[in-house]
Amino acid sequence: MTTLFSVRNLTLPTGQHVSMHLGRGEIHGLTGPSGTGKTRLLRALANLDEVSADLRLHHKPLGNYQATEWRRRVMLVPTDSRWWLPTAAEHMHKDMHDAAEKLGLTPARMHAPVTQLSTGEKARCALLRALSYEPEVLLLDEPTAALDHENVHAVEALIKGFSRDHAVLWITHDELQAERVADHRWQLTASQLIRVH
Amino acid sequence: MIHLSAPDLAIASSLVLMLALLSWRMHLGLQQQLLIAGLRTVIQLVLVGLVLKALFEQLHPLWLIPVSMLMLLAAGREVIARQSKRLAGGYVVGTGAMFISSFAITVLALLVVVQPAPWYQPQYAIPLLGMMLGNTMTGIAVGMERLLKTTHDEKDVIEQRLMLGHTPAEAIRSPMRDAARAGMIPIINAMAAAGIVSLPGMMTGQILAGSPPMEAVKYQILIMFMISAGTGFGTLIALRLTANRLFDEAARLRLDRLTS
């Protein structure tokens, strides 16, 4: 498997050392107790916080990319999405009609005021928005935490499809979900990042 | 010109004292600020009067430089004092923006429009600069305050946009627009209402001091446009510099540069 994205010698503010490689076509599941720094890790990988680390995409270091280009290619989808235009549809970078349908989002919901969407609908729209920018690496912070059973499976199927040509790092609290979706599994404890298998 | 006597000013000051008394009776807690501000008005204006008298009559024009610098630094301090969130380096940003816009427009007005001989004659330069600084200061203070507060409050939206690969300029566009409006609306309103709702202060002063009304009107239009341009350009410069300080070279939002 060719390495698409790698991080080496990253020390989180919580003290753990992180080195990992994400290959094209891989989903990496990251679990661990709350407060150990999982979200911090994703923020560092998206270069949203200042940390010293060797981050590479296509073997080229972070410094070779414009900051905005890096984040567009290595895209973080946070747990709580934010919106600044009236409807979800207006936030999409390109037409996402087909993917929206797979996630059970009708055109009517996509064009409804964001304030009228449920937490679960917003979570799915946020994922769609990220995909509409065509990133190469997706960093997902509990994308299905607010979803019901049926939608969890729809999101998992969509991400699995996306991961065929890309790489995904997926934070989840659900061990069964990690089993289902991840090709590789990691656990972040208070002291270290452990490769589970 | 009708000269004002000490009793005239005493009557005016008794009005402020009565206001302070009312504030005390109504438990508004504003009486101390009112009295201190009133006292500052008297002391500062008397001192300025003495300085201007000396400048106009006796001193070398080079004295303009330290006097105008002092005015600038004092205005810069006022800008920072009005911020509920302080930005590291904010004093330099606010004062720098004020310097560029106020001085450039004052010099332009002196050289091209008013044309006293010599152009830097303190009798014209100091009051014009003072009026420019006073108004620019307010626009910059209000604009910066709004930008820092909105950025702080809308941190999550701004970071969400950065996550999608938007540039800092795109990510902070809505707070910038808000702040520019807040800084410039008062001066736009003042232009729109000039002469209808109120006679502008300078014109009133000139008429009271005995100038023909049309002369006072011409000066007032000049001043109004200068003030609007100075406030507008100064506010936009300050906002651009402030926004630059809110992000680092890697386009990360740096709210750690803000203190409450």
Side-chain angles (χ1 to χ4, degrees):
Chain A
M1 202 63 73
T2 53
T3 297
L4 179 58
F5 177 85
S6 68
V7 46
R8 279 184 302 176
N9 305 324
L10 169 68
T11 305
L12 289 172
T14 32
Q16 307 94 322
H17 298 290
V18 173
S19 286
M20 57 181 8
H21 296 254
L22 310 186
R24 197 181 287 281
E26 291 176 347
I27 297 180
H28 290 242
L30 176 63
T31 53
S34 297
T36 47
K38 297 188 297 297
T39 299
R40 291 277 198 145
L41 170 59
L42 294 200
R43 285 180 60 89
L45 300 184
N47 194 21
L48 284 163
D49 291 330
E50 199 173 17
V51 283
S52 84
D54 180 11
L55 300 175
R56 285 168 189 265
L57 180 67
H58 297 295
H59 304 288
K60 283 190 283 183
L62 172 71
N64 278 23
Y65 295 88
Q66 293 272 332
T68 49
E69 188 196 353
W70 177 271
R71 291 191 198 112
R72 208 161 157 151
R73 293 178 179 223
V74 181
M75 189 167 290
L76 169 58
V77 184
T79 311
D80 291 318
S81 58
R82 302 289 162 171
W83 307 86
W84 58 97
L85 298 170
T87 68
E90 289 167 271
H91 287 80
M92 301 298 151
H93 195 60
K94 62 167 196 170
D95 181 50
M96 295 299 285
H97 187 82
D98 293 345
E101 213 163 274
K102 285 181 190 160
L103 291 184
L105 293 162
T106 62
R109 297 312 287 159
M110 295 291 288
H111 287 91
V114 175
T115 47
Q116 289 178 12
L117 299 181
S118 70
T119 315
E121 283 173 320
K122 274 191 248 181
R124 282 175 284 153
C125 286
L127 191 60
L128 271 188
R129 174 174 62 186
L131 292 173
S132 76
Y133 282 84
E134 302 180 318
E136 295 182 69
V137 179
L138 259 189
L139 309 170
L140 303 175
D141 196 349
E142 298 187 59
T144 60
L147 302 185
D148 59 35
H149 196 65
E150 193 181 326
N151 282 313
V152 168
H153 285 285
V155 166
E156 287 176 2
L158 188 74
I159 298 302
K160 275 189 169 170
F162 167 84
S163 74
R164 276 197 281 276
D165 298 314
H166 306 90
V168 178
L169 178 57
W170 186 325
I171 294 180
T172 177
H173 276 294
D174 180 351
E175 292 289 339
L176 290 175
Q177 179 173 59
E179 284 286 334
R180 276 197 306 273
V181 300
D183 306 296
H184 302 277
R185 293 197 44 197
W186 302 81
Q187 194 177 20
L188 189 64
T189 69
S191 57
Q192 58 182 330
L193 178 70
I194 308 162
R195 179 144 197 174
V196 183
H197 68 251
Chain B
M1 189 190 294
I2 302 167
H3 283 276
L4 292 179
S5 60
D8 297 335
L9 295 179
I11 291 170
S13 60
S14 71
L15 294 175
V16 177
L17 285 175
M18 278 162 58
L19 191 61
L21 195 68
L22 193 63
S23 156
W24 175 66
R25 284 297 301 269
M26 291 175 71
H27 304 285
L28 300 180
L30 289 169
Q31 57 275 19
Q32 197 182 348
Q33 271 170 288
L34 258 174
L35 292 177
I36 291 175
L39 210 61
R40 277 185 65 171
T41 302
V42 174
I43 295 170
Q44 288 163 197
L45 289 182
V46 167
L47 283 177
V48 161
L50 292 173
V51 170
L52 289 180
K53 191 164 178 280
L55 261 182
F56 294 175
E57 289 170 0
Q58 301 145 9
L59 291 175
H60 193 274
L62 270 182
W63 274 95
L64 257 183
I65 296 171
V67 169
S68 57
M69 283 300 134
L70 200 69
M71 289 164 71
L72 175 70
L73 296 181
R77 218 190 124 267
E78 286 294 318
V79 166
I80 293 308
R82 295 183 198 183
Q83 311 293 320
S84 58
K85 305 245 171 266
R86 303 274 173 97
L87 172 71
Y91 181 79
V92 178
V93 165
T95 312
M98 216 154 31
F99 173 74
I100 296 169
S101 69
S102 300
F103 280 63
I105 288 179
T106 304
V107 169
L108 180 82
L110 288 170
L111 282 175
V112 181
V113 189
V114 187
Q115 292 183 330
W119 67 270
Y120 48 79
Q121 207 176 309
Q123 191 174 345
Y124 294 90
I126 295 285
L128 278 178
L129 182 65
M131 212 148 12
M132 288 304 300
L133 280 175
N135 285 279
T136 313
M137 176 183 88
T138 307
I140 289 176
V142 171
M144 278 177 73
E145 159 70 13
R146 180 66 70 92
L147 182 61
L148 296 181
K149 187 177 179 312
T150 317
T151 302
H152 182 265
D153 293 349
E154 291 183 11
K155 162 185 178 286
D156 292 339
V157 173
I158 295 169
E159 283 211 315
Q160 172 79 74
R161 297 190 70 162
L162 293 178
M163 286 173 203
L164 293 168
H166 294 186
T167 62
E170 288 169 324
I172 205 170
R173 185 165 292 155
S174 156
M176 281 286 266
R177 193 163 37 210
D178 232 38
R181 286 179 65 87
M184 286 166 66
I185 283 291
I187 193 68
I188 293 174
N189 286 345
M191 276 201 289
I196 299 177
V197 181
S198 67
L199 284 185
M202 190 202 78
M203 190 172 131
T204 311
Q206 269 192 307
I207 293 174
L208 287 180
S211 293
M214 281 319 287
E215 284 309 306
V217 163
K218 280 190 267 180
Y219 266 93
Q220 187 60 53
I221 292 175
L222 171 77
I223 291 293
M224 210 79 184
F225 286 173
M226 280 175 55
I227 286 174
S228 304
T231 306
F233 290 130
T235 304
L236 296 182
I237 294 169
L239 292 181
R240 172 55 45 219
L241 294 176
T242 303
N244 286 350
R245 293 278 306 146
L246 286 169
F247 296 90
D248 62 16
E249 70 292 342
R252 290 178 289 234
L253 183 62
R254 294 297 298 270
L255 287 189
D256 55 318
R257 290 176 181 168
L258 283 184
T259 51
S260 293

